[in-house]
Amino acid sequence: MTKNFTRIFLSLSAIVMLYASCKKEAVKKNTAAADYKALSSQVATAFYQAITGQYGSVDVSKGIKSPFKANAAHKGLLLNDVPSLCGFIVDTTYNYTVVSPGDPGYHFTDTTKIYYGNFHFVYTCTGGIVNGYDVTDSVSYNASSFDFRSASSLAQHYIVKALDQTYKVVSMDGTISTHTNENKIGEEVNSYSNTTYALAGLKVDFSSGVADIVSGTSTFHMHILPPTSIGVPPPYIKYIDYYGTIEYLGNHKAKLTINPGGQVYLVDLLTGVATPV
């Protein structure tokens, strides 16, 4: 009886020590020093990817036109075809799935990707001439495989207006929100982030064919859960908030100030490289 009690006591002690170790590790993961360089790159490039259609939405580099066809009756119409395009609305939804083949030896698909969303696009005019658009859309993207699950979404509402007769220099004002949630199944790790942006007087030049934000600012607020072991109970799960401003400098560069801490980085919007200032 004494031997059995000793064995039970030792087993329970081992479990308690293991649980305490897991909690300490979780706390360590969630209170580690922020990687401001990586965060700055993520915040700045996610915004640029959003406005250039890399999440499946409108690409500002394509000019004053909808990425979706309105209908056959409007094929070939010009921007200054006033009766047809002023105030014209394109409103649609979409949903499609892409399955990437896996290794036949393992008998499972590599990755399944599901895209779906809503799109509302209105041509705007000044003095009877089409010179911009007002877009509201939401795009969702889910990817899954045998060892991970990832869900991302993008919500946008902004107004684009031409600043010259070429229609290749435009202003942008509005809001953008991005959300990601990733789960690494084999490692039982989950991470989450949600970032909102407020655009103020951005000037975008895409005369070269690639959008370059030459001036303007946006503020941002980022709410994240760093990679954390699934099943770790509160209060060991620590959500973190970051906020700040992005000042656009042209030549695909932006100066990002991120708080708390007042860290400042120069970010290349095409490569994601962040350099402390």
Side-chain angles (χ1 to χ4, degrees), residues 77-88:
L77 293 181
L78 301 177
L79 287 176
N80 59 0
D81 194 337
V82 179
S84 297
L85 288 183
C86 276
F88 189 82

Side-chain angles (χ1 to χ4, degrees), residues 186-203:
E187 301 176 20
E188 296 301 321
V189 171
N190 187 67
S191 61
Y192 162 97
S193 71
N194 186 76
T195 308
T196 56
Y197 305 85
L199 292 59
L202 270 60
K203 182 179 179 181

Side-chain angles (χ1 to χ4, degrees), residues 2 42 44 47 55 63-64 79 81-82 89 93 98 131 135 143 148 161 167 169 179 184 236 254 258 273 275:
T2 301
Q42 179 182 343
F47 174 86
Y55 293 130
I64 311 296
L79 287 176
D81 194 337
V82 179
I89 298 172
T93 61
V98 177
N131 69 342
V135 63
F148 78 93
K161 185 177 181 179
Y167 292 92
V169 181
H179 170 85
K184 294 182 180 180
Y236 304 107
I258 185 168
V273 174
T275 306

Side-chain angles (χ1 to χ4, degrees), residues 69-265:
K69 292 181 179 180
N71 58 46
H74 291 76
K75 183 178 180 181
L77 293 181
L78 301 177
L79 287 176
N80 59 0
D81 194 337
V82 179
S84 297
L85 288 183
C86 276
F88 189 82
I89 298 172
V90 179
D91 198 331
T92 188
T93 61
Y94 54 93
N95 189 332
Y96 61 95
T97 300
V98 177
V99 179
S100 302
D103 188 333
Y106 290 94
H107 304 290
F108 54 76
T109 58
D110 182 20
T111 305
T112 299
K113 300 177 181 179
I114 302 174
Y115 300 84
Y116 56 94
N118 301 285
F119 180 81
H120 185 83
F121 182 103
V122 183
Y123 285 102
T124 59
C125 294
T126 298
I129 302 298
V130 174
N131 69 342
Y133 58 83
D134 185 327
V135 63
T136 301
D137 66 356
S138 61
V139 181
S140 294
Y141 163 71
N142 295 334
S144 62
S145 185
F146 73 100
D147 62 349
F148 78 93
R149 300 287 187 273
S150 176
S152 302
S153 62
L154 169 70
Q156 302 182 118
H157 178 213
Y158 58 81
I159 297 171
V160 170
K161 185 177 181 179
L163 296 178
D164 67 0
Q165 296 300 315
T166 70
Y167 292 92
K168 292 183 178 180
V169 181
V170 301
S171 65
M172 293 185 69
D173 293 273
T175 60
I176 295 175
S177 177
T178 64
H179 170 85
T180 61
N181 191 2
E182 296 183 351
N183 173 214
K184 294 182 180 180
I185 298 174
E187 301 176 20
E188 296 301 321
V189 171
N190 187 67
S191 61
Y192 162 97
S193 71
N194 186 76
T195 308
T196 56
Y197 305 85
L199 292 59
L202 270 60
K203 182 179 179 181
V204 186
D205 184 343
F206 50 89
S207 56
S208 67
V210 180
D212 184 17
I213 312 175
V214 297
S215 64
T217 61
S218 65
T219 59
F220 69 89
H221 175 215
M222 188 181 200
H223 183 65
I224 70 171
L225 172 67
T228 305
S229 298
I230 295 174
V232 174
Y236 304 107
I237 295 178
K238 300 292 184 181
Y239 288 90
I240 306 174
D241 286 274
Y242 299 98
Y243 58 93
T245 59
I246 308 173
E247 179 185 357
Y248 299 96
L249 308 175
N251 295 318
H252 309 292
K253 299 294 192 298
K255 185 171 73 172
L256 187 144
T257 302
I258 185 168
N259 294 298
Q263 303 289 320
V264 181
Y265 286 85

Side-chain angles (χ1 to χ4, degrees), residues 36-46 256 265 267-268 271-274:
Y36 284 105
K37 182 176 181 180
L39 286 170
S40 297
S41 175
Q42 179 182 343
V43 169
T45 57
L256 187 144
Y265 286 85
V267 182
D268 187 306
T271 65
V273 174

